Amino acid sequence: MIELAIILVPVLTAGVALAWRSNATRPWLLPVAGVLHATLCGWRGLAPPAPLASEWVGFDAVTRAVLPALSLLFLVCSFYALSYLRLRAERPNRTFTGALLMLLGLMSLALQARHVGLLWIAIEGATLATVPLLHFNGTARAYEATWKYLLVGGTGIALSLLGSFCLGYASLYGGGSGDLTFAGLTAQGGALSRPWLMMAWVLMMAGYGTKMGLVPMHTWKPDAYGEAPGVVGALLAGGMTTTAFIALLRVKQVVDAAGLGGMTQQMLLAAGLFSMVVAALFLLGTPDFKRMLAYSSVEHMGILAVGAALGGAGLGAALFHVWNNSLTKGALFLSAGNLRRAAGARTRDDVAGMAWVSPWSARILVTGLLAITACPPFGPFFSELGIVRAGLGAGRGVAVLVFLGSLLLAFLGMTRLVFAIVDGRPGRAAKATGARFRETAGLVVPPLVFLGLSLGLGLTTPPLLRETWAAAVKALEVIP
Amino acid sequence: MTDTVNLFIGLAMGLNLMALASSRIPSIIRIEAAQGMVLGVLPLLLEGEPSALVIAVAAAVVGVKGFLIPSLLRRAMRAAHIDREAAPRLGFVPSLLLGAAATVGALALGLALPLMPEHARLLLVPGSFATIICGLILLMSRTKAITQVCGFLMLENGIYLFGLLLLGSTPLLVEAGILLDLTVAVFVIGIIVDRIQRSFDSLDTRMLTELRE
């Protein structure tokens, strides 16, 4: 019952938002849904009953390890959205509020989906719900980004549907009765048809990899994150990517159980490292600080893929990294949104001296930058350390070297860009726009909270969370 | 019965190539509509005695793919005052050759994959792969937004063909997903097309070049 409530609360609130008349009070529905959602997730997370194998929707060990992070991300973002939408009071926010809530509901469904087809429908729905969020600013650039998102994302989603069908056929060919729950498919194990399973894995990796933003299917990401409001960027980079990652993990479990674990490992490792290297190279070159965050997101998806490829302790560290990535990206996207608004520009050439124009957001961006580039004692340092350890333990020295090399390049590229926009003298135009968009508590506290959470995760990782990650790894690793 | 089914699938594959070769947007839309109707009839032919559910699926597919979506596309075209040239990035002959090569490749791939005895004599798998690849070619090689949508629809048609393999064994959830998806996708795309037109004063995606590294 609570499982369904976690999905239905945001979906029904979305319906209320569409019917709500007042533009000024409508955004309050976001924190209301956020608080309810977080309460339900927390409650279920503390006392989870194991779902039955045949259930299509359930709060299983994997859900328990990541859904609370998404809920927390949305909760803090929803308070930021209040202040953000007050700044944009001239714009109708009916669709924006409704789509944001719908996105939360569909991501909650995707993270709880235990059936191949249901999972696909949830991710497809979430993709469509994102569309109105991306072009909220209504500029020509925003529409261009939305079009590219629709074409690339739509193709990715279509390929993952084909992959789901191939998985279904693999089961049917192996004598399956049409049961497409992940539990049923895993139980079929080696009976699944291998050629069809390989097709399924390749297509799903391309499809859900597009949603994650693994190279070379990442091309929509810089455009979409660059043009979308900061709060949407935070939810996509911290939530949507997690959802696609979990989808891939659930499919990987089926493929591994059929004895093709070697293939999934190799492919994830290659895609992960390739994403990290390419993202690091782009990070050295991009002059736009919002696009920089998109490339950083591509890099962190690479890190997740590498962790998942290593399995065992590496997978556990990857699940830890899901939390770190979500919360730290929250701080970065929200503060970058503040800076973008105050500066009235977005590239190194036009923006300087933001430490004087918006001191709080500038400080948060710099600290968040240190956190995401894995400086101790922030959370990302510990999760990435865990992945490196797992890599060395598995004897993958070269992979670890590439991993560390890309992290270093990304650090160089990001610090160069961030300090260029924070230091120096602000231009006259930036002073004027900065005076128009003053920093208020509502715009600064949410990213600060994210930063605090990222720091807290690093200093004292709650034992309960460690336990959930370990349980999820155990649930995902089936010995064939 | 198998021969009739294969005839229809062959027809759909021929329509792929026709779409790749046509230079006018309205004719591409017409070809898509015809392909949608051909695909809609297939479930009836595949089942010896079609159940009410299968008949409903067939009717819905013919209605959505054959009539609803083409009329939405035509309306978008009228509203946006697009001229009728398909404006290819890759010429018609090269894309046609690529499409033909893809069809041959799809036949080879279809032979290489193991099939259940009842599907072994059907062209569903090669037909599906050929349609998907031709859809991708159309999607990537044309510059007008509407033609790209047509490519995407062709891609979806290919996936639908594959889905027919599972029609008998799995609940119709996934089938319903496709229809829903198509309607919503076109709806969303229709709105976006309208906005792109207003912002850029053109539906030529070559104009969409503000965002690049």
Side-chain angles (χ1 to χ4, degrees), chain A residues 141-176:
Chain A
R141 291 171 64 106
Y143 285 118
E144 179 179 342
T146 313
W147 181 252
K148 290 179 178 168
Y149 172 80
L150 264 178
L151 274 189
V152 179
T155 310
I157 272 298
L159 291 182
S160 47
L161 176 63
L162 185 64
S164 307
F165 283 163
C166 287
L167 197 55
Y169 200 72
S171 158
L172 202 62
Y173 191 81

Side-chain angles (χ1 to χ4, degrees), chain A residues 49-68:
Chain A
L52 301 172
S54 60
E55 273 178 319
W56 284 23
V57 175
F59 201 96
D60 58 15
V62 183
T63 316
R64 188 174 174 230
V66 290
L67 184 55

Side-chain angles (χ1 to χ4, degrees), chain B:
Chain B
M1 195 53 93
T2 313
D3 293 335
T4 330
V5 172
N6 280 345
L7 182 71
F8 272 71
I9 298 172
L11 205 61
M13 287 161 94
L15 288 170
N16 291 336
L17 299 180
M18 272 176 73
L20 282 178
S22 41
S23 61
R24 300 254 150 179
I25 297 177
S27 60
I28 299 181
I29 296 178
R30 253 198 311 278
I31 292 167
E32 285 300 315
Q35 194 176 42
M37 283 191 249
V38 168
L39 297 185
V41 180
L42 276 178
L44 298 177
L45 297 173
L46 278 169
E47 306 278 317
E49 287 169 7
S51 62
L53 201 55
V54 172
I55 295 175
V57 168
V61 171
V62 171
V64 172
K65 288 184 194 275
F67 294 98
L68 179 64
I69 291 175
S71 78
L72 282 174
L73 286 175
R74 278 192 204 106
R75 208 169 67 187
M77 245 187 86
R78 264 201 311 279
H81 305 294
I82 311 170
D83 70 276
R84 282 140 196 276
E85 292 301 323
R89 195 173 280 149
L90 180 73
F92 296 111
V93 176
S95 44
L96 190 60
L97 286 177
L98 259 180
T103 307
V104 175
L107 279 168
L109 185 63
L111 289 176
L113 286 165
L115 284 175
M116 314 263 289
E118 65 265 35
H119 299 145
R121 290 188 53 238
L122 290 176
L123 280 174
L124 272 179
V125 175
S128 152
F129 289 149
T131 311
I132 289 167
I133 299 171
C134 288
L136 281 174
I137 294 172
L138 198 62
L139 181 70
M140 290 190 285
S141 69
R142 302 292 185 266
T143 55
K144 294 265 172 73
I146 300 251
T147 341
Q148 290 179 338
V149 175
C150 286
F152 187 74
L153 290 174
M154 193 187 271
L155 175 74
E156 293 262 353
N157 281 348
I159 294 172
Y160 164 86
L161 259 180
F162 195 95
L164 290 179
L165 286 175
L166 300 169
L167 189 65
S169 62
T170 46
L172 284 167
L173 176 80
V174 183
E175 256 63 27
I178 302 174
L179 283 178
L180 189 76
D181 158 45
L182 271 172
T183 337
V184 182
V186 170
F187 184 61
V188 172
I189 286 173
I191 295 169
I192 296 295
V193 161
D194 175 51
R195 302 280 169 83
I196 292 181
Q197 162 74 20
R198 264 191 247 159
S199 312
F200 286 85
D201 218 19
S202 159
L203 268 187
D204 192 331
T205 53
R206 278 174 299 189
M207 301 288 229
L208 303 184
T209 51
E210 282 202 32
L211 302 176
R212 54 169 50 174
E213 218 56 62

Side-chain angles (χ1 to χ4, degrees), chain A residues 50-128:
Chain A
L52 301 172
S54 60
E55 273 178 319
W56 284 23
V57 175
F59 201 96
D60 58 15
V62 183
T63 316
R64 188 174 174 230
V66 290
L67 184 55
L70 170 69
S71 191
L72 199 57
L73 175 72
F74 186 88
L75 178 64
V76 181
C77 280
S78 69
F79 285 99
Y80 179 89
L82 276 184
S83 312
Y84 171 73
L85 289 173
R86 205 171 297 140
L87 287 178
R88 292 263 179 269
E90 79 290 352
R91 221 167 256 285
N93 57 34
R94 186 185 300 264
T95 326
F96 186 82
T97 314
L100 217 50
L101 289 163
M102 206 60 205
L103 181 65
L104 175 66
L106 287 164
M107 288 196 296
S108 309
L109 174 62
L111 285 177
Q112 294 194 84
R114 296 160 52 74
H115 182 279
V116 177
L118 189 63
L119 173 69
W120 179 82
I121 289 179
I123 293 193
E124 159 77 20
T127 306
L128 292 175

Side-chain angles (χ1 to χ4, degrees), chain A residues 103-456:
Chain A
L103 181 65
L104 175 66
L106 287 164
M107 288 196 296
S108 309
L109 174 62
L111 285 177
Q112 294 194 84
R114 296 160 52 74
H115 182 279
V116 177
L118 189 63
L119 173 69
W120 179 82
I121 289 179
I123 293 193
E124 159 77 20
T127 306
L128 292 175
T130 315
V131 169
L133 301 176
L134 293 181
H135 63 66
F136 180 65
N137 282 326
T139 58
R141 291 171 64 106
Y143 285 118
E144 179 179 342
T146 313
W147 181 252
K148 290 179 178 168
Y149 172 80
L150 264 178
L151 274 189
V152 179
T155 310
I157 272 298
L159 291 182
S160 47
L161 176 63
L162 185 64
S164 307
F165 283 163
C166 287
L167 197 55
Y169 200 72
S171 158
L172 202 62
Y173 191 81
S177 56
D179 173 16
L180 291 186
T181 58
F182 287 106
L185 289 169
T186 312
Q188 252 189 305
L192 295 169
S193 156
R194 284 200 167 203
W196 283 109
L197 210 52
M198 283 178 180
M199 285 283 294
W201 172 251
V202 171
L203 288 166
M204 300 258 217
M205 206 164 141
Y208 291 137
T210 309
K211 296 288 340 157
M212 268 177 86
L214 290 172
V215 177
M217 295 86 76
H218 68 290
T219 48
W220 60 274
K221 230 173 178 180
D223 299 346
Y225 290 7
E227 301 311 315
V231 61
V232 175
L235 280 172
L236 289 181
M240 195 63 223
T241 49
T242 305
T243 313
F245 177 59
I246 295 301
L248 214 48
L249 284 185
R250 290 196 195 266
V251 179
K252 178 178 183 288
Q253 180 188 16
V254 174
V255 183
D256 287 356
L260 288 172
M263 178 186 72
T264 58
Q265 264 178 23
Q266 294 293 348
M267 281 182 63
L268 275 175
L269 191 66
L273 290 176
F274 188 50
S275 301
M276 288 185 72
V277 171
V278 170
L281 294 177
F282 273 105
L283 279 173
L284 285 174
T286 182
D288 178 328
F289 62 90
K290 281 188 85 177
R291 290 171 77 90
M292 168 192 86
L293 293 183
Y295 287 117
S296 167
S297 175
V298 173
E299 193 204 1
H300 285 268
M301 289 308 110
I303 293 176
L304 290 183
V306 170
L310 294 170
L315 180 56
L319 292 171
F320 182 13
H321 198 69
V322 163
W323 281 72
N324 290 325
N325 178 53
S326 294
L327 301 176
T328 318
K329 281 279 155 49
L332 284 168
F333 271 96
L334 299 188
S335 58
N338 291 345
L339 292 179
R340 155 82 188 78
R341 215 167 24 248
R346 53 178 71 232
T347 60
R348 189 165 45 201
D349 309 328
D350 305 328
V351 184
M354 291 315 286
W356 280 266
V357 180
S358 313
W360 276 101
S361 303
R363 278 176 210 152
I364 297 170
L365 186 71
V366 170
T367 322
L369 159 86
L370 295 177
I372 205 74
T373 49
C375 294
F378 289 96
F381 170 74
F382 294 97
S383 51
E384 290 173 26
L385 186 67
I387 294 176
V388 167
R389 274 210 191 124
L392 290 176
R396 300 221 178 240
V398 180
V400 169
L401 218 57
V402 175
F403 184 93
L404 292 174
S406 335
L407 286 185
L408 185 67
L409 285 182
F411 176 74
L412 290 177
M414 288 178 78
T415 40
R416 205 170 60 136
L417 177 54
V418 166
F419 283 111
I421 62 169
V422 168
D423 282 343
R425 273 163 174 279
R428 195 170 294 155
K431 277 185 189 153
T433 45
R436 224 176 94 217
F437 294 109
R438 284 196 188 291
E439 294 185 296
T440 58
L443 293 173
V444 172
V445 172
L448 264 181
V449 170
F450 278 132
L451 216 50
L453 288 169
S454 172
L455 186 65

